[in-house]
Amino acid sequence: RPSLAIDRREVEHALWIPVGALHSQDARTTHHFELDGREFTAPALAYGQYTIWGLTYRILNRFFALTLE
């Protein structure tokens, strides 16, 4: 696997995850966060201690729709 260089202003963590682990129904969850004093809930994927949400979630969700279903 190639090493991953990340911009900490954009990404908190970068890691390799098996596609099957994220495509599993068990990986589906929600992410709760606060922005400008308001609370939000967003769809997400869980993998171990990591929660994948936001744009990364949307990209993966579209990928799964196009390639695995």
Side-chain angles (χ1 to χ4, degrees):
R1 295 182 177 144
S3 62
L4 300 171
I6 62 173
D7 182 340
R8 293 276 180 207
R9 296 171 296 177
E10 297 287 332
V11 177
E12 187 171 342
H13 298 282
L15 60 149
W16 295 99
I17 301 173
V19 171
L22 295 180
H23 190 249
S24 165
Q25 201 59 27
D26 293 337
R28 302 284 174 179
T29 190
T30 55
H31 177 69
H32 305 279
F33 64 99
E34 186 178 317
L35 180 64
D36 295 330
R38 296 175 52 202
E39 293 191 19
F40 296 90
T41 301
L45 297 168
Y47 182 74
Q49 68 187 39
Y50 300 101
T51 302
I52 300 158
W53 65 287
L55 183 58
T56 304
Y57 168 86
R58 292 173 55 193
I59 291 168
L60 288 171
N61 203 43
R62 183 68 177 146
F63 170 78
F64 295 146
L66 291 172
T67 61
L68 299 176
E69 296 182 7

